[in-house]
Amino acid sequence: GIVLSRNGGALKEILSTPGFPVLSFFGTGKQIWPWIHIHDVTRMIFFCIINSNISGLFFGVSPNPVTNKKFTKTINRFISPKRIVAGVPKFIVAMILGKMHRVVFDSCNASSQKIQRAGFNFSFPGLEEALKNLLAK
């Protein structure tokens, strides 16, 4: 999932639009984006290390993935000053990123159910509470 942190990573990149008061979603914004708070992904790793009954692969994602458009609009609710939220057409992103544009246009509805069934509880299961924690001043 997209790891959200105060100190860099995806959130910093999303918020860095120098000179433009715009937050962008991609195309229609309907693609599913799994995400996770840095605190939860760190706890998840330790949970897997200290529990000897844990085996296999787990997705590092929150239990509540959102669409790219909702992700962007929710971020906008927690920043000041607010920005214009607008979609960027696929052909423009393709011109800028080339074949890598697929990364932001593909949906990924990965599930956290396996780690939750193993007993892991998220501190930040919802995007709003994660962003409030990360972006509140």
Side-chain angles (χ1 to χ4, degrees):
I2 298 167
V3 179
L4 302 179
S5 167
R6 279 189 186 121
N7 303 317
L11 194 54
K12 183 178 180 182
E13 292 300 317
I14 290 166
L15 292 172
S16 68
T17 53
F20 298 103
V22 176
L23 282 178
S24 300
F25 57 89
F26 302 104
T28 64
K30 291 180 182 177
Q31 57 276 35
I32 301 296
W33 276 16
W35 61 273
I36 189 166
H37 190 291
I38 187 76
H39 178 72
D40 281 333
V41 77
T42 305
R43 288 181 48 251
M44 188 184 292
I45 292 166
F46 282 111
F47 179 84
C48 291
I49 291 170
I50 64 173
N51 288 290
S52 59
N53 61 329
I54 298 287
S55 65
L57 301 174
F58 295 89
F59 290 118
V61 297
S62 78
N64 297 298
V66 295
T67 64
N68 172 230
K69 189 173 189 177
K70 182 173 182 172
F71 186 88
T72 306
K73 285 184 170 189
T74 305
I75 289 172
N76 201 42
R77 289 185 31 222
F78 290 93
I79 60 173
S80 183
K82 301 294 179 227
R83 299 185 189 173
I84 298 165
V85 176
V88 178
K90 189 173 186 174
F91 77 91
I92 292 176
V93 178
M95 285 190 322
I96 295 168
L97 297 179
K99 290 181 182 179
M100 288 297 296
H101 82 281
R102 293 182 195 133
V103 173
V104 295
F105 281 96
D106 288 347
S107 281
C108 178
N109 199 3
S111 172
S112 63
Q113 288 180 0
K114 184 177 175 186
I115 193 78
Q116 288 176 285
R117 283 194 303 266
F120 183 80
N121 293 309
F122 287 85
S123 297
F124 301 97
L127 183 60
E128 291 177 3
E129 57 203 311
L131 291 172
K132 183 177 181 181
N133 174 262
L134 295 168
L135 298 174
K137 297 195 179 195

